């Protein structure tokens, strides 16, 4: 019974790892669409989103199946409940990548980003994609070191996010409030994407060690304006 | 066995209902702190936040207890898993109220809000508080009508949120980009608070009827700038 449980839990984590990678690919494409005002790439992310949702529904059904058939107890029970939370995190990461793609689509054929913040978003996109892949690797391997590395990447994301506000509130900003609103919301989408990857890492640590994850990964910017 | 299960599930939902009300109270106070630049009220929300977190941990423990002791199947099993998702929603509502309080504290003794948007935030705050209370009532009563009313309130929240962007991107806005960033993020916090209340309503509908909730409540603004 426990052998079957572990085999199925391992398959489920492999599915979650693939979903994480897909959310990373979505954010990679959304960032490309945003930086190059590429409508086709944005549309690709938007139409692919249903695929992540369908995989989420499948992952939840498998987790229900495990709960119902294997009737796990103690730590195993907690691991499966954690799985539902991981599905919710990945779903949210997919939704945030979708939001970015929709901003790129809405602004097409213009670029949504003023030149001053392009490199920040290129960097935030790269960090986000790395984090999604690391979260996927942590899920697949149940490797606690992978999971903990996410915290370091998140600190980098927070730095990039803070820097964005420095650029926005600099006196030389001349792109108006509309572009400022776009940049503010886009920055928040990348930051939250990273937060969910961190939460997945903490949930893997919990699955592997029993240490409870802290639920709060959201650290909003401390200094928005002068 | 099933009688014990239903009694404990009902107690758990009553606990979740109280937590929802607390998150509503937190948002009510945060809005007051924001509108009146009241530092003491902001600090009150910030120090009370640990109380909601502690109740979340307690609610999760009770749900684990129910899963472990009652070994529910089929619909009952799904209801308990839903409970973990409701806890996550309420946790997030508490965190969003906390973010609002922190903006009020950061700007003190100044007001974070320019006068043009004060009434919008007063209205968004009132809608958010009503929604938290309706979500709490829906959890306690398992009343599907309460749950569905949340969708109507959320439409109102979306309207208020859209209006905010109209004010922000109006040519007469003269409060600078820093205030614009604050208003953009604050607006997002209220909108997401409402989204989580809607999700709780959908989860109650699922618990009561077995109809699966749509996971996406987040509808980001469609037209940010001109």
């Amino acid at each position: 019974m426990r052998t079957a449980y572990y085999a199925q839990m391992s398959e489920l984590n492999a599915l979650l790892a693939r979903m994480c990678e897909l959310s990373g690919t979505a954010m990679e494409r959304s960032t490309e669409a945003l930086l190059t005002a590429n409508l086709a790439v944005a549309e690709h992310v938007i139409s692919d989103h249903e695929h992540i949702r369908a995989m989420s529904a499948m992952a939840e059904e498998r987790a229900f199946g495990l709960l119902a058939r294997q009737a796990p107890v103690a730590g195993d029970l907690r691991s499966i409940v954690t799985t539902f939370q991981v599905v919710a995190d990945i779903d949210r990461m997919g939704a945030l990548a979708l939001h970015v793609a929709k901003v790129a689509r809405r602004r097409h054929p213009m670029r949504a980003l003023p030149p001053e913040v392009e490199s920040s978003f290129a960097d935030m996109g790269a960090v986000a994609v790395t984090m999604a892949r690391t979260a996927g690797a942590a899920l697949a391997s149940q490797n606690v070191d992978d999971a903990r590395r996410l915290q370091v990447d998140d600190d980098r994301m927070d730095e990039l996010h803070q820097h964005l506000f420095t650029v926005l509130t600099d006196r030389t900003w001349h792109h108006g409030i509309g572009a400022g609103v776009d940049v503010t919301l886009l920055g928040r989408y990348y930051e939250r994407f990273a937060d969910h990857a961190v939460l997945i890492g903490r949930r893997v640590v919990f699955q592997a060690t029993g240490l409870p994850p802290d639920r709060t990964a959201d650290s909003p910017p401390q200094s928005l304006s002068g």
Side-chain angles (χ1 to χ4, degrees), chain A:
Chain A
M1 197 70 164
R2 280 182 64 87
T3 311
Y5 165 79
Y6 284 116
Q8 289 172 38
M9 192 68 196
S10 170
E11 270 179 41
L12 182 52
N13 276 326
L15 172 61
L16 295 175
R18 286 200 299 283
M19 289 165 56
C20 250
E21 280 162 32
L22 284 179
S23 77
T25 302
M27 198 49 135
E28 191 167 42
R29 289 184 181 142
S30 290
T31 306
E32 183 195 343
L34 190 66
L35 290 168
T36 62
N38 189 321
L39 184 61
V41 173
E43 294 285 10
H44 191 162
V45 174
I46 293 162
S47 61
D48 265 13
H49 184 61
E50 278 312 306
H51 184 50
I52 297 183
R53 301 293 306 275
M55 287 177 84
S56 291
M58 186 165 72
E60 284 195 347
E61 282 316 300
R62 287 200 193 169
F64 275 120
L66 260 172
L67 268 179
R69 284 193 309 275
Q70 306 289 343
V73 292
D76 295 346
L77 181 61
R78 284 172 194 262
S79 277
I80 298 191
V81 170
T82 299
T83 295
F84 288 97
Q85 295 166 331
V86 170
V87 171
D89 286 317
I90 302 173
D91 244 28
R92 195 72 204 135
M93 288 162 76
L96 290 162
L98 179 70
H99 289 357
V100 174
K102 286 186 173 173
V103 174
R105 180 170 72 175
R106 193 183 311 133
R107 293 290 168 256
H108 179 82
M110 309 280 283
R111 295 189 185 200
L113 298 176
E116 292 95 317
V117 294
E118 276 181 5
S119 71
S120 293
F121 279 93
D123 291 347
M124 285 196 293
V127 174
V129 173
T130 299
M131 289 179 79
R133 287 179 184 152
T134 304
L139 281 164
S141 66
Q142 296 283 297
N143 183 325
V144 167
D145 293 332
D146 274 346
R148 292 193 173 131
R149 210 168 66 225
L150 287 161
Q151 191 63 60
V152 177
D153 288 332
D154 191 48
D155 291 344
R156 174 76 184 128
M157 180 65 91
D158 286 343
E159 273 174 34
L160 289 164
H161 192 214
Q162 277 301 327
H163 176 69
L164 206 57
F165 291 107
T166 310
V167 177
L168 267 175
T169 56
D170 189 280
R171 284 168 187 281
T172 62
W173 182 265
H174 60 276
H175 304 285
I177 187 88
V181 168
D182 271 356
V183 167
T184 301
L185 286 175
L186 286 164
R188 179 91 184 141
Y189 300 153
Y190 283 87
E191 188 218 11
R192 290 296 296 156
F193 185 97
D195 287 342
H196 285 284
V198 169
L199 285 173
I200 292 171
R202 291 187 191 161
R203 301 194 207 284
V204 169
V205 172
F206 174 67
Q207 284 185 329
T209 68
L211 293 174
D214 179 355
R215 267 174 298 223
T216 322
D218 177 18
S219 50
Q222 284 310 298
S223 170
L224 301 185
S225 59

